[in-house]
């Protein structure tokens, strides 16, 4: 006998029953249409039964019985009903449902017990796993924060000494308190450093600990957040001082470098630091276990109210007593129901295959000349909502028949079943539950300053998977919309953004935003279409119509600037998805380094767009007469880099250096001189985002395009020489997308070159044409916007 397919749709029979309801719209169909749908469901149930998928069989048969009940109630006097209703299939369905319910109830009970036993086993093996890790890092020169926490909890803390190389003012505000710590600011770690030289540079409070360094079993070097000691020459100077020039002792086995530094350690166990004084000891909070870091899927708890679904016993006695009701299709249940109830309507876009074949191209109007030099600067909430917006969508109870009818052919049933088998909903429940971040008691669990830490939300998104196609579908040109197609393909290659809109998006939408959440909704539809498996290309007309409602320049079919479109689109998406954290408290953030400004800004601007794309820069304006300075910290969405005025070739480093060199400005009102003065404006990058967008300013204000060939790295863009902040998590980036422009200022064509990580190949996206290209062709004078992803 073949094994039964693993349970994959529900945690109990009550939850499975919530998936068996049919749309209320079905009662308006004629008896012939209802019968066809009933036959399709019965055939689908038999197909699933051949594969021993009891859950799918149960759902299909329950829906089948409900449709027959609709037929009986509505068409009792219809003689066609008499011919269609009473067949052997009904008796067979009831008999199978009786057996299935008993089998599933027992299997759900057994699975619950098995899951509980598995969790207990994982917990019991945790100490053994940590012990094995300890044996491994004894011989490594790098130590993780988990390893350090293990040592602090399981060895003598008096035998551990930390060498904290952060600036003294930062160290005094936020430091590790669980063992002996010496503050050695990086400014003292010069080339040729020796232990004796360092002794004279230390504050008196640390000299005694330093002189007794040989008595420690572990000496750990750390800074704010560096991942690799080889990336920082000053850290290497300290390492060499202890390994090469400390002749009184062999430190090779005891000297370690803390990967991720203070930043990661405080994120893991804040109770061992002074950053939050409310938590006193490690007894107050349990360290994160392997189970919590890699949660198993959790099912939503059912509300404490009776669930209305057809009773199996009632079906056996009299089908007329079956009850059903329409439900709101929202949240995660919507995804499950859409797999069983509806056609593959990923979006409000057209039916892909049929309408592509009959699509009539739009005559392209003459492309007007326009000034790209007047693009809006990157600002938050810079666009004003239109005075009148016509509704683009109906409420759930007004959906048309097309979106609510049952599958109308066997192929759709099979595709839907296969998508479920392939784990379309894998782990989404647990991630969404964790992402929702339930309210907590402020008195019992302190608010931690996360202004300098990686977002937990982004970590949850990165753990999910992209389920579907390969992301190689083209986009039809609706009439000079290549600028839009180019940007959409680059964003569709942004993995964490795709994961968010496929797996998590439906739970989080800000319907009070300027675009009422509609831009995010239609963008989600575009992403799902681009990652679907049907058709070579499709047209995103509904998406274009939606953005045209809120910006006149996108309403018509004129050519636009792709960077301007990207800036506006991401700003709208951020607004649609923004979930402010007004109750978050910023503790210990430095005003001078921009941490405080960043923390306050992210409280009001908390979205996946902010977490993925926004960085921070410092603007310093200095009076050329009295040298008075004015400093402001600003978030940035992309870096718009100038190109050197001379020469046809340059490097991306040249452009970055030119951007940071500073520029002279006239007429700046000096607060000290109390009059207009010439001044110098200098920019410094303080914080880099996980996904770095670089815009090459090829279009000049005097009407021509710079076709310089800017050489940029594809595998290893090192930003360490261009950042001036304390956030040193990772400076290295890999290229994954390029928006290209061919032509001149008053006309041209946009394409995209994108890397698909799953197959490690580069592809050219030229509207509907998608083809593989050699990576050596990526760097060209056509490159206009570069999309980089931080290396893991």
């Amino acid at each position: 006998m073949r094994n039964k397919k693993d349970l994959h749709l529900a945690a109990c029979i009550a939850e499975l029953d919530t998936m068996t309801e049919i749309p209320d719209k079905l009662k308006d169909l004629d008896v012939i249409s209802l019968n066809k749908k009933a036959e399709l469901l019965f055939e689908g149930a038999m197909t699933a039964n051949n594969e021993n998928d009891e859950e799918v069989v149960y759902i299909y048969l329950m829906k089948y019985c409900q449709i027959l009940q609709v037929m009986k109630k509505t068409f009792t006097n219809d003689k066609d009903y008499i011919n269609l209703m009473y067949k052997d299939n009904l008796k067979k369905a009831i008999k199978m449902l009786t057996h299935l319910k008993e089998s599933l109830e027992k299997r759900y009970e057994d699975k619950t017990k098995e899951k509980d036993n598995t969790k207990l086993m994982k917990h019991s093996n945790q100490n053994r796993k940590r012990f094995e890790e300890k044996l491994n890092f004894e011989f490594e020169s790098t130590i993780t924060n988990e390893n350090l926490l293990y040592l602090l909890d399981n060895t003598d803390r008096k035998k551990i000494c930390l060498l904290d190389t952060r600036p003294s003012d930062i160290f005094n505000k936020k430091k590790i308190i669980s063992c002996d710590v010496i503050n050695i600011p990086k400014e003292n770690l010069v080339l040729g450093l020796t232990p004796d030289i360092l002794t004279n540079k230390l504050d008196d409070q640390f000299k005694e600990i330093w002189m007794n360094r040989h008595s420690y079993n572990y000496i750990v070097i750390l800074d704010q957040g560096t991942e690799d000691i080889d990336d920082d020459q000053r850290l290497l100077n300290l390492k060499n001082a202890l390994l090469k020039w400390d002749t009184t002792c062999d430190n090779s086995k005891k000297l370690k470098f803390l990967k991720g530094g203070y930043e990661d350690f405080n994120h893991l166990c804040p109770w061992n630091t002074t950053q939050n004084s409310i938590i006193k000891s490690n007894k107050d909070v349990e360290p994160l276990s392997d189970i919590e870091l890699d949660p198993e899927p959790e099912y939503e708890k059912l509300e404490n109210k009776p669930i209305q679904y057809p009773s199996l016993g009632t079906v056996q006695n009299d089908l007329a007593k079956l009850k059903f009701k329409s439900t709101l299709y929202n949240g995660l249940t919507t995804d499950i129901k859409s797999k069983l109830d509806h056609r593959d309507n990923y979006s409000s876009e057209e039916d892909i295959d049929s309408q592509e074949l009959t699509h009539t191209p739009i005559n392209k109007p003459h492309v007007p000349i326009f000034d790209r030099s007047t693009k809006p600067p990157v600002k938050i909430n810079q666009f004003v909502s239109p005075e009148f917006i016509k509704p683009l969508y109906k409420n759930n109870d007004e959906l048309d028949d097309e979106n609510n009818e049952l599958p109308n052919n066997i192929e759709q049933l099979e595709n839907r079943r296969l998508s479920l088998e392939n784990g379309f909903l894998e782990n989404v429940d647990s991630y969404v539950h964790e992402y929702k971040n339930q309210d907590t008691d402020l008195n019992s669990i302190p608010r931690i300053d996360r202004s300098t830490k990686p977002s937990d939300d982004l970590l949850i998104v990165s753990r999910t998977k992209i389920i579907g196609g390969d992301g190689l579908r083209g986009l039809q040109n609706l009439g000079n919309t290549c600028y839009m197609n180019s940007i959409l393909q680059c964003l569709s290659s942004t993995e964490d953004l795709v994961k968010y809109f496929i797996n998590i998006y439906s739970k989080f939408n800000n319907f009070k935003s300027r675009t009422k959440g509609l831009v995010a909704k239609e963008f989600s539809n575009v992403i799902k279409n681009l990652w679907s498996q049907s058709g070579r290309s499709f047209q995103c007309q509904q998406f274009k119509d939606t953005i045209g409602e809120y910006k006149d320049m996108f309403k018509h079919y004129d050519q636009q600037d792709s960077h301007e479109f990207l800036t506006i689109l991401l700003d709208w998406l951020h607004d649609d998805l923004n979930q402010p954290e007004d109750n978050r408290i910023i503790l210990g953030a430095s005003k001078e380094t921009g941490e405080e400004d960043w923390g306050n800004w992210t409280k009001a601007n908390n979205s996946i767009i902010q977490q993925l794309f926004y960085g921070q820069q410092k603007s310093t304006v200095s009076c050329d007469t009295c040298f008075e300075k004015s400093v402001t910290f600003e978030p940035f969405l992309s870096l718009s880099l100038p190109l050197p005025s001379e020469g046809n070739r340059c490097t991306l480093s040249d452009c970055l250096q030119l951007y940071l060199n500073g520029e002279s400005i006239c007429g700046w009102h000096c607060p000290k001189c109390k009059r207009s003065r010439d001044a110098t404006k200098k920019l410094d990058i303080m914080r880099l985002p996980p996904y770095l967008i670089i815009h090459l300013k090829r279009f000049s204000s005097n009407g021509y395009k710079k076709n310089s060939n800017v050489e940029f790295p594809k595998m290893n863009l090192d930003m360490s020489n261009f950042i001036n902040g304390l956030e040193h998590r990772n400076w290295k980036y890999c290229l994954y997308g390029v928006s290209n422009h061919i032509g001149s200022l008053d006309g041209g064509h946009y394409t995209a070159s994108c890397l698909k990580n799953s197959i490690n190949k580069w592809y050219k996206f030229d509207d509907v044409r998608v083809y593989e290209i050699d990576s050596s062709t990526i760097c060209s004078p056509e490159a206009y916007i570069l999309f980089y992803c931080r290396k893991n």
Side-chain angles (χ1 to χ4, degrees):
M1 184 177 178
R2 293 179 296 127
N3 293 330
K4 295 179 181 178
K5 183 176 178 64
D6 291 341
L7 299 171
H8 59 104
L9 291 181
C12 62
I13 195 68
E15 184 176 358
L16 191 65
D17 280 324
T18 64
M19 306 174 197
T20 64
E21 299 163 0
I22 61 175
D24 207 20
K25 291 282 186 177
L26 282 175
K27 63 183 180 182
D28 297 329
L29 298 180
D30 59 77
V31 65
I32 303 298
S33 299
L34 284 172
N35 183 66
K36 288 181 179 179
K37 296 184 182 301
E39 288 180 348
L40 287 173
L41 285 171
F42 188 83
E43 291 174 6
M46 296 305 103
T47 301
N49 186 58
N50 291 335
E51 300 178 2
N52 270 5
D53 192 338
E54 290 188 333
E55 288 179 310
V56 174
V57 176
Y58 183 86
I59 292 173
Y60 282 174
L61 289 182
M62 290 293 285
K63 288 176 178 288
Y64 167 78
C65 290
Q66 290 183 79
I67 290 180
L68 294 188
Q69 170 63 14
V70 173
M71 293 168 65
K72 180 178 180 180
K73 181 178 180 180
T74 309
F75 304 101
T76 305
N77 299 323
D78 193 328
K79 57 183 178 180
D80 290 331
Y81 163 78
I82 303 299
N83 296 328
L84 296 171
M85 180 65 179
Y86 294 102
K87 291 187 177 181
D88 293 337
N89 287 352
L90 178 58
K91 296 179 181 179
K92 184 176 181 179
I94 295 177
K95 184 177 180 181
M96 291 180 65
L97 282 170
T98 303
H99 169 75
L100 285 170
K101 187 169 185 179
E102 294 177 356
S103 175
L104 286 169
E105 285 178 339
K106 185 177 185 305
R107 292 180 65 194
Y108 284 132
E109 183 180 355
D110 293 343
K111 184 178 180 180
T112 301
K113 293 179 180 178
E114 182 181 352
K115 183 183 293 187
D116 293 340
N117 292 334
T118 301
K119 289 184 178 180
L120 290 174
M121 186 176 298
K122 284 185 178 180
H123 187 71
S124 64
N125 290 335
Q126 190 173 353
N127 290 335
R128 179 178 58 82
K129 182 178 179 181
R130 287 187 174 181
F131 177 74
E132 292 173 351
E133 290 178 351
K134 177 180 182 297
L135 294 179
N136 292 332
F137 70 70
E138 287 287 355
F139 303 96
E140 299 290 339
S141 60
T142 297
I143 186 174
T144 66
N145 284 279
E146 289 80 5
N147 295 153
L148 179 57
L149 181 59
Y150 174 85
L151 290 177
L152 293 173
D153 290 341
N154 297 277
T155 63
D156 187 357
R157 296 189 176 196
K158 296 180 180 179
K159 293 296 183 180
I160 302 173
C161 180
L162 307 181
L163 307 182
D164 193 325
T165 64
R166 295 176 299 147
S168 297
D169 57 338
I170 302 298
F171 170 82
N172 291 329
K173 293 179 181 178
K174 302 179 289 186
K175 59 186 175 182
I176 299 174
I177 57 175
S178 49
C179 61
D180 289 341
V181 185
I182 302 176
N183 181 220
I184 312 176
K186 281 188 180 180
E187 60 191 45
N188 297 325
L189 305 180
V190 297
L191 195 64
L193 184 71
T194 67
D196 292 338
I197 295 176
L198 190 54
T199 302
N200 298 325
K201 293 179 177 290
L202 294 175
D203 291 344
D204 292 340
Q205 59 178 317
F206 302 122
K207 287 185 178 180
E208 182 178 355
I209 302 177
W210 175 253
M211 298 304 295
N212 295 328
R213 62 187 180 278
H214 302 144
S215 63
Y216 294 100
N217 294 335
Y218 298 95
I219 299 177
V220 182
I221 300 174
L222 65 107
D223 67 351
Q224 180 67 15
T226 298
E227 297 286 337
D228 189 349
I229 192 173
D230 293 332
D231 292 339
D232 194 316
Q233 183 59 48
R234 291 187 179 271
L235 294 178
L236 289 175
N237 293 340
L238 177 58
K239 176 181 176 181
N240 292 334
L242 289 166
L243 292 182
K244 295 181 179 180
W245 308 114
D246 197 353
T247 57
T248 59
C249 182
D250 180 9
N251 297 317
S252 58
K253 292 184 178 180
K254 65 174 65 176
L255 185 63
K256 310 288 181 185
F257 168 72
L258 184 61
K259 185 176 182 180
Y262 174 87
E263 195 170 292
D264 277 0
F265 183 84
N266 182 66
H267 187 63
L268 176 65
C269 48
W271 56 88
N272 280 323
T273 71
T274 59
Q275 187 154 339
N276 198 306
S277 59
I278 299 178
I279 300 180
K280 299 299 183 181
S281 70
N282 60 359
K283 295 180 180 179
D284 296 334
V285 180
E286 290 289 336
L288 294 177
S289 66
D290 293 340
I291 296 175
E292 291 167 323
L293 292 174
D294 189 16
E296 296 183 7
E298 297 177 4
Y299 296 93
E300 292 183 359
K301 294 183 178 179
L302 299 175
E303 298 180 4
N304 294 325
K305 61 181 182 179
I307 301 174
Q308 298 184 22
Y309 56 87
S311 169
L312 189 58
T314 309
V315 170
Q316 292 174 318
N317 296 327
D318 187 358
L319 266 173
K321 295 182 181 179
L322 278 172
K323 296 181 180 179
F324 62 95
K325 65 174 184 176
S326 61
T327 58
L328 293 178
Y329 286 76
N330 53 24
L332 192 58
T333 307
T334 303
D335 294 335
I336 301 175
K337 290 178 181 296
S338 64
K339 298 295 178 295
L340 301 168
D341 287 344
H342 307 309
R343 292 187 291 175
D344 283 328
N345 52 343
Y346 268 124
S347 73
S348 56
E349 306 292 345
E350 72 289 352
D351 288 340
I352 297 167
D353 294 328
S354 61
Q355 293 197 21
E356 275 183 10
L357 299 176
T358 59
H359 172 64
T360 303
I362 300 173
N363 294 328
K364 297 183 180 180
H366 174 69
V367 180
I369 298 176
F370 60 96
D371 181 14
R372 285 197 178 92
S373 64
T374 60
K375 293 182 295 181
V378 180
K379 294 181 179 179
I380 304 304
N381 297 333
Q382 58 181 335
F383 305 108
V384 180
S385 301
E387 294 181 0
F388 173 75
I389 304 172
K390 67 179 182 180
L392 301 179
Y393 299 92
K394 301 177 181 179
N395 296 330
N396 285 341
D397 56 351
E398 298 176 337
L399 294 176
D400 53 19
D401 290 338
E402 181 184 46
N403 291 331
N404 278 276
E405 62 184 9
L406 292 167
N408 56 15
N409 59 56
I410 292 297
E411 182 181 359
Q412 290 181 358
L413 282 168
E414 180 66 10
N415 289 340
R416 196 161 295 113
R417 182 186 59 76
L418 289 175
S419 68
L420 285 172
E421 289 182 358
N422 290 333
F424 184 82
L425 303 172
E426 178 184 359
N427 288 337
V428 174
D429 253 341
S430 61
Y431 295 134
V432 170
H433 177 74
E434 184 177 353
Y435 190 95
K436 193 67 176 178
N437 196 10
Q438 299 172 346
D439 293 336
T440 55
D441 186 354
L442 295 177
N443 295 323
S444 61
I445 302 180
R447 296 286 179 175
I448 306 301
D449 173 23
R450 300 188 183 277
S451 61
T452 61
K453 302 181 182 65
S455 171
D456 290 339
D457 300 343
L458 184 54
L459 178 62
I460 295 169
V461 171
S462 65
R463 284 176 173 173
T464 64
K465 297 179 181 179
I466 301 176
I467 305 297
D470 50 16
L472 296 178
R473 298 191 72 192
L475 286 166
Q476 295 180 17
N477 194 317
L478 306 177
N480 290 327
T481 57
C482 56
Y483 70 94
M484 180 177 70
N485 293 348
S486 172
I487 294 302
L488 290 176
Q489 293 292 5
C490 289
L491 293 179
S492 177
S493 298
T494 306
E495 285 196 354
D496 286 331
L497 188 69
V498 173
K499 292 175 181 178
Y500 176 88
F501 275 99
I502 288 180
N503 298 332
I504 295 179
Y505 155 74
S506 61
K507 286 286 184 181
F508 309 96
N509 212 345
N510 179 16
F511 298 104
K512 297 181 180 179
S513 68
R514 291 161 292 165
T515 63
K516 314 303 180 187
L518 297 181
V519 170
K521 178 177 181 178
E522 284 305 323
F523 179 79
S524 175
N525 293 333
V526 171
I527 292 298
K528 290 175 181 177
N529 266 287
L530 287 174
W531 283 87
S532 69
Q533 297 178 340
S534 56
R536 183 173 62 89
S537 65
F538 77 102
Q539 58 170 295
C540 51
Q541 183 69 54
Q542 184 65 51
F543 173 80
K544 182 185 180 303
D545 291 344
T546 301
I547 62 175
E549 288 291 326
Y550 299 97
K551 197 73 174 175
D552 284 341
M553 63 188 297
F554 302 135
K555 179 179 293 186
H556 307 292
Y557 296 93
D558 300 330
Q559 183 73 280
Q560 302 296 340
D561 178 70
S562 68
H563 180 251
E564 187 172 8
F565 171 74
L566 171 66
T567 303
I568 295 173
L569 174 60
L570 290 182
D571 185 47
W572 278 343
L573 291 176
H574 165 68
D575 203 17
D576 280 356
L577 303 171
N578 191 20
Q579 302 285 332
E581 295 181 313
D582 298 329
N583 61 341
R584 180 161 61 90
I585 301 172
I586 306 301
L587 298 175
S590 170
K591 179 68 175 177
E592 293 73 21
T593 63
E595 283 182 290
E596 181 178 320
D597 283 22
W598 178 256
N600 288 325
W601 183 77
T602 54
K603 282 174 61 177
N605 296 274
N606 177 42
S607 74
I608 191 65
I609 304 300
Q610 171 262 312
Q611 294 162 18
L612 291 178
F613 298 108
Y614 275 91
Q616 185 191 41
Q617 61 185 6
K618 179 174 73 172
S619 175
T620 304
V621 180
S622 176
C623 178
D624 291 345
T625 302
C626 69
F627 305 106
E628 176 71 6
K629 293 182 179 180
S630 174
V631 177
T632 57
F633 293 93
E634 305 165 342
F636 69 87
L637 181 59
S638 64
L639 296 176
S640 292
L641 306 184
L643 275 62
S645 56
E646 299 180 358
N648 293 324
R649 300 185 70 87
C650 63
T651 65
L652 186 60
S653 294
D654 296 334
C655 300
L656 283 164
Q657 194 59 57
L658 188 61
Y659 178 76
L660 299 174
N661 278 346
E663 60 179 345
S664 297
I665 57 176
C666 300
W668 181 66
H669 185 78
C670 176
K672 186 175 182 180
C673 298
K674 305 297 183 182
R675 64 177 61 186
S676 296
R677 296 288 195 187
D678 291 340
T680 301
K681 181 179 180 180
K682 174 75 169 63
L683 295 176
D684 291 287
I685 301 172
M686 306 302 292
R687 181 182 303 273
L688 289 168
Y691 288 83
L692 177 63
I693 301 175
I694 297 179
H695 165 229
L696 303 176
K697 297 174 68 173
R698 293 193 178 276
F699 301 107
S700 63
S701 57
N702 54 5
Y704 73 94
K705 177 187 175 184
K706 297 181 180 180
N707 290 310
S708 304
N709 189 4
V710 181
E711 297 178 1
F712 47 88
K714 293 187 289 291
M715 296 301 297
N716 193 18
L717 171 63
D718 189 351
M719 294 292 291
S720 59
N721 294 327
F722 307 106
I723 187 170
N724 194 34
L726 291 174
E727 197 232 11
H728 304 323
R729 299 189 59 78
N730 197 331
W731 290 319
K732 295 181 179 178
Y733 288 81
C734 290
L735 185 75
Y736 71 91
V738 180
S739 176
N740 304 296
H741 180 268
I742 308 165
S744 59
L745 177 66
D746 57 349
H749 180 59
Y750 287 93
T751 64
S753 302
C754 301
L755 173 68
K756 296 303 178 181
N757 278 328
S758 59
I759 50 182
N760 195 30
K761 292 181 180 180
W762 281 89
Y763 288 85
K764 190 67 165 288
F765 293 83
D766 187 354
D767 291 333
V768 297
R769 298 177 63 235
V770 179
Y771 52 93
E772 184 179 349
I773 57 175
D774 192 290
S775 61
S776 61
T777 64
I778 303 299
C779 187
S780 73
E782 300 169 3
Y784 182 44
I785 307 174
L786 311 178
F787 292 78
Y788 281 94
C789 176
R790 178 180 286 160
K791 295 179 67 175
N792 293 328

